[in-house]
Amino acid sequence: PRALGVIVGGAFTTWAAFIALVAGVLAGGGAIEFTTFLAWVVVAVFGALALLFGWWTIGIARLAYEIDDDALRIRWCGREVVIPVVDIQRVVPGRTVGEETVSGLNWWGCHIGRGMAASLGPTLFFATHNRPEDNVFVVTPGRTYGLTVPDQVAFAEACSRRLIVGFEPGEPQRVEPQGLALLPLWGDQDVWFALSFVLVALGALGGFLFSQYPDLPALVQIDFPRATGIVRVDHPSALLRIGAVGGGIVAVNLGLGFLLHARERAAGLWLLVSAGLIQAVLLGAAVVAFERA
């Protein structure tokens, strides 16, 4: 039943990638002006959306439930939700639950996130149903899980067979990250704050360069430090190197910062923040350079 979710997610991914591609073509062939900068912003935003929807679509395609003698495991987007079998109190078919609402990823064939089931209360959905009747609800002491299982009878029997044995209370329900999800940066709010600061600073630098460039004369005067007494006359595009330097610094610092964060959090954060601070310095340098040009 997940085919519809994959198709819709793939359509969203393609749509976002297409807009990013069109904007990239327009920006690449456009003049150096503020509207071109906005086109590059569209490329960045919709490119990120394409990656995000692509990741979610892969997650839908690979969504899996596995039950053994110890636990029910739900695999979703690099994470595994582990529900000890001893915690399962009952399995309820979706046709008996009533109205369902989901807040999170919620489109045709994809229902992932927190929600409500009318007769069961707060529920975590990892479902790909097309109709509410396609779902089965696993009720535990702490929470309820909504899953889309093709053979609900077999699933309920698998749970009940393991409950008959009678287990002693074991480990709690938990989420275990896997693969890239193991990196601690995903849960570090300071990383996302620093990244936002870097992107805003880089955007401010780029926006200034693109907005001021059309007003420059055909030739500009570039002053080196006054102590040298050197003055160079060049094409206005020479001033755009400030933006190129800023972009290069961001790329290097972000790469090194993400790599270092797992081993040395403080060093990783400093690299991220310093990238933003350097953008601010370059913005100041750009303002001075454009005024003197």
Side-chain angles (χ1 to χ4, degrees), residues 102 105-113 125-131 135 146 148:
V102 183
L105 298 183
N106 197 20
W107 65 73
W108 297 301
C110 173
H111 310 279
I112 310 292
F125 284 86
F126 295 92
T128 59
H129 62 276
N130 300 325
R131 303 170 304 166
N135 283 345
T148 303

Side-chain angles (χ1 to χ4, degrees), residues 10 19 74 78 80 82 85 104 133 149 157 215 227-228 233 255 279 292:
I19 292 179
I74 305 169
E80 184 174 271
V82 181
V85 170
E133 298 80 32
V149 179
E157 289 178 350
D215 297 330
T228 66
V233 176
Q279 303 312 302
R292 292 180 177 177

